[in-house]
Amino acid sequence: MAAANPFSSDGISRRRFVGGAVGVGLSAASAGPLPAMTAHADPVPASAKSGSRVAPVFNPDYSKLIGRSDLTYTGRITTGTQGMSVANGRFGGPVWQSNSSTLVMQLNHTDMFMFNDASAASKDHQNSGGGALGRIHVGFGTDTVFDSATKQHLSLYDGTLSIDGTGVHVDVISDTDSDVIAIRITDQRATPQAITVDLAMLRDANQIWGAHSAISALTTVAGKGHRNDAIVLEQVVQEKCDTGIIANDHYVNTAVAATVQGRQVSAVTNNTIGNRATLRLSLPAQQGTFTVVVGGDTTTDTRRTAKTTAVANVTKSSDYAKIQTRSQAWWRDFWNKSYVYFPTQFNYEQRRNYYMYLAAISNRGSYPSKYNGGIWIGEEDRRDWGSFYWNWNQDCLYQPLWAANHLDLMEPLFTMRQAGYQQYRTAARQMWGSEGIFIGETNGILGWETLPDGIAEAMQQYYTFKTSTRTQDFTDFTMRRNRFLPPWNWNVFGTSNNQASYVTHTMMATQETAEYYWRVYCYTKDLQWLRKVAYPFIKGAADLYRSYDGLRKDADGKYHFYNTNLHEHIWAGKDVIDDLSMARGVFAAAVKASELLGVDKASRPLWKDIRDNLAAYPLRSDPNALWAASTNPPLATQLATDQPAWAQGLRPAYLIRDLHGTESPIFKMLEKFDVLNLETRDQGLDNGDWEIALNTYLHSPGYLNQVQNQVIDRNGSSRFHVDAAKLGRADDMVPILNTQYGVFSTYGEFPNLLFNQLDYYSAEGYGTFAEALQQALHQSLSPTPVADPVIRVFPAWPKAWDAKYKLLAKDGFLVSSAMQSGDIQYVEIESQLGETARIRNPWDSDVVLYRNGRKAETLIATENGLLKFKTDKGENIVLVRAGTTPNQYRTSDVVQPH
């Protein structure tokens, strides 16, 4: 824990995440960085054989292409929740104008959390999640600088916010190489006034909640030479675990420092804004340009202080021009990795691009962006639903990142998972008496609180239904913990007996984490990364299921699940369809990975036995079936006996909640592990499941709500539009996307376009929306979880909408294509790994291949026939229908939106 003086400094440097991939490792293994594939600084790939350079068929000016999605707003933005955010992936936040003469920026950090899983204080502070470090207030005197005519423009292409007020222009950028925000101010007023820069606390200086404390202090660091003084706000948040188990203790130290470049500070004084203490830099009235430089840092290492790094960040900071040059180069490379271009569907394109921007500014730290606010929180520390990660919501954020060619933005999740690996093993043992790992549907930055043995045993007995009563110690312990975490979730209603609840028996976070790791391997084919980083999680997820008391081989010779949750809809039910689907994927991946790595030979027969003998998905015609009809009876009459459809699970179940919304999952086999998809169907491997999937889709509440619009289901975390794309339902995508797009403005649209869900504001709906768009444009599908992948272009894209895209496929293929007036013009493939390419023929003709700009061969194939050809690493290949050439489709034109 911290020393008596929490603000002492020893100057120890910390691990820095300053760009690209970073190393992640297990405690027993030295893991390398997340696998990287060829990345080009410009849109012209290198030729593999000739050394020449081949321009892409669509070769746009990316600044114009991405610039179509910029955010613009006229008027004053009055609150932090609506402010436009600038950050470098770790440090930054929203910018707004609190009154007509004051610019405000809240500084947040991805690695700052008020509580961990073991907190006894978080139960009383559900809306205080952490993330906030401090605020900067820039005052321009008594002039009206910001009013209804103020122009605000967020450039996504270079990550710059520009604000034109009356006589004052402001530019805000982040330094992608250090935790620095630069606020450049040009004062052009005829009669300038003195300017003040306040660094403000976000809470009382000494905030104590039992054993939990948040201590803040403002100090000044004298400048050297011609440098101005720096003002610093440091806070130490800590809580010793009430069990005395040191591994559960919480500690985080943060700091924000600010100084000024280009103008001399006339005074440094103490001040207050509202009821918050500040330190103020006063600047004399003067026309011209200067820069407010703000630095930050966060650490959980008690051997060092954040203040040292934050002060160094500002005192050693480059000037604005150099920061701008670095920032622009980083963003240029970021946007070149993929694109979507919809000439007539600009609003959809913008939401996808804006989501990618939000993902970029909040996913370069040690922890992933949170669904309930991200780095853009603007209400001090307020974060509805608290400090914890909710897997269902978090998954929305991750979904589009693979196809968008941004595996790098998954790095913080993997870093957090690696750090928590041993805790996940402890969780499996303590919660379920199981092997492997268990990641709760809700969890904090520890991943699991190591529990005293007696509490763990009582909890396990209770949740595995070996007893229906709780020990008094377990009950008392629960009252000191956050009831949204799995061990204590029985208390969510404050009832006396609740052996299953919203997140108690939910296994999806464990299994979906394994799927993320497996998917990275499928895209990169990096065996070392699979061995050192991914495999322990894949194996751990498989072993959790294998040793779980609720997976049982019944008299029918099939393995059935008992006592697992379907999201929040079925509590402790039988044969929950999500678990049956994910088990098919994780056991297949575990067997294949162990074979590739030559390990765990003895475990393979056990995994194979379960993989090959899992129970069939439950049908609505089965006895004790649980599905939407249980709360929406009219659906039952629409389902004839010759149209079998899936149920969501079976009785017995501890409790059944509302099953009729589009949020309710039932298509996990379409979404994860390539269990069922268009390739499974076309290669004849679906065993009849494809027809059942279609029947289920057509008779689902999502179809009624989002296609037929019987009920407008405003659910930001719905996956139904993604599922429709995976089913190839191009005609349905028009109404579905339109209905789902309406979600974003349900409660009024913010200037920053964030989705206001009333209890929190987020981007989770944009994640699934972006994924639905990308899946409609492009799919990379394996017919089974471990088979060779196949590329499909425009598998569910409405023919009425013109589109171009560049997206990533498995085996490292960067795929570009274009559709105009319903005609697919070309398919361009950049082979980044040199793997064999497989693609479904999008034309009803033979296909001509151009390799590195030269006509190479003709492939004989029918429409939708499987094309297969070898590639070299770095090779550029263009496919066109016979009788056409790539040159007739070459263009750089980008239409600007009206």
Side-chain angles (χ1 to χ4, degrees), residues 526-689:
D526 191 310
L527 277 172
Q528 280 297 97
W529 193 80
L530 178 65
R531 183 186 306 277
K532 292 184 176 182
V533 182
Y535 183 67
F537 284 85
I538 297 168
K539 174 186 177 181
D543 279 343
L544 175 72
Y545 269 157
R546 177 188 58 77
S547 59
Y548 178 56
D549 180 65
L551 182 63
R552 305 167 191 167
K553 197 169 192 177
D554 285 353
D556 61 0
K558 299 296 183 182
Y559 285 93
H560 294 263
F561 277 99
Y562 293 85
N563 301 329
T564 64
N565 282 15
L566 179 86
H567 188 39
E568 297 177 354
H569 301 75
I570 299 175
W571 296 356
K574 177 184 177 183
D575 283 346
V576 163
I577 195 167
D578 275 10
D579 290 288
L580 287 170
S581 173
M582 294 300 279
R584 284 169 164 80
V586 76
F587 285 113
V591 170
K592 181 65 173 180
S594 71
E595 291 172 346
L596 289 168
L597 300 175
V599 297
D600 289 321
K601 185 176 181 180
S603 295
R604 282 181 225 153
L606 304 176
W607 295 336
K608 287 180 180 179
D609 181 48
I610 300 173
R611 179 198 66 187
D612 297 340
N613 293 288
L614 282 164
Y617 300 133
L619 295 172
R620 296 179 184 179
S621 56
D622 288 344
N624 298 316
L626 299 171
W627 61 293
S630 63
T631 54
N632 196 349
L635 280 176
T637 61
Q638 300 178 18
L639 200 60
T641 56
D642 60 346
Q643 291 182 299
W646 289 319
Q648 296 171 325
L650 302 173
R651 291 183 176 88
Y654 187 83
L655 186 138
I656 305 160
R657 293 184 67 239
D658 185 357
L659 305 179
H660 72 265
T662 58
E663 178 186 2
S664 182
I666 197 169
F667 288 122
K668 199 71 75 174
M669 69 290 295
L670 297 173
E671 300 164 6
K672 306 291 183 181
F673 275 123
D674 279 323
V675 173
L676 180 69
N677 55 46
L678 291 163
E679 274 305 309
T680 314
R681 177 199 68 182
D682 286 352
Q683 295 193 31
L685 301 174
D686 64 295
N687 295 316
D689 280 348

Side-chain angles (χ1 to χ4, degrees), residues 333-497:
D333 290 346
F334 176 86
W335 288 115
N336 180 62
K337 288 180 178 291
S338 65
Y339 64 77
V340 300
Y341 173 45
F342 312 143
T344 59
Q345 299 303 125
F346 154 73
N347 54 339
Y348 293 175
E349 177 187 332
Q350 182 187 46
R351 297 304 166 118
R352 182 267 183 188
N353 288 343
Y354 184 48
Y355 176 70
M356 294 308 303
Y357 173 82
L358 293 174
I361 67 171
S362 56
N363 280 293
R364 297 179 68 217
S366 299
Y367 298 95
S369 177
K370 288 188 92 275
Y371 76 96
N372 55 338
I375 205 168
W376 48 85
I377 59 171
E379 301 174 284
E380 297 186 331
D381 262 338
R382 180 179 176 84
R383 193 192 287 274
D384 289 326
W385 294 98
S387 289
F388 305 118
Y389 288 96
W390 297 65
N391 181 71
W392 170 266
N393 306 84
Q394 288 294 129
D395 179 63
C396 297
L397 304 179
Y398 310 142
Q399 286 192 18
L401 300 182
W402 280 270
N405 196 18
H406 278 292
L407 278 64
D408 54 305
L409 298 182
M410 291 295 294
E411 187 78 32
L413 174 66
F414 294 138
T415 300
M416 180 177 74
R417 291 290 188 244
Q418 302 296 122
Y421 178 75
Q422 294 301 330
Q423 292 301 104
Y424 303 140
R425 287 174 59 88
T426 300
R429 174 176 54 82
Q430 291 194 327
M431 185 90 178
W432 305 117
S434 298
E435 300 174 32
I437 60 173
F438 174 66
I439 304 172
E441 180 68 13
T442 52
N443 64 85
I445 57 174
L446 268 182
W448 177 264
E449 174 186 0
T450 300
L451 300 173
D453 290 341
I455 299 298
E457 182 179 356
M459 175 195 61
Q460 184 185 128
Q461 293 287 313
Y462 186 65
Y463 283 134
T464 56
F465 300 99
K466 292 179 173 63
T467 179
S468 60
T469 59
R470 296 183 308 276
T471 65
Q472 191 61 48
D473 285 346
F474 175 38
T475 299
D476 293 344
F477 199 96
T478 297
M479 299 308 162
R480 304 197 303 271
R481 291 297 184 268
N482 191 297
R483 66 183 184 272
F484 292 119
L485 294 174
W488 328 117
N489 199 221
W490 68 265
N491 187 43
V492 70
F493 299 120
T495 56
S496 60
N497 190 37

Side-chain angles (χ1 to χ4, degrees), residues 514-531:
E515 197 269 346
Y516 300 149
Y517 278 105
W518 176 247
R519 200 186 316 184
V520 169
Y521 169 72
C522 292
Y523 276 85
T524 66
K525 291 301 180 74
D526 191 310
L527 277 172
Q528 280 297 97
W529 193 80
L530 178 65
R531 183 186 306 277

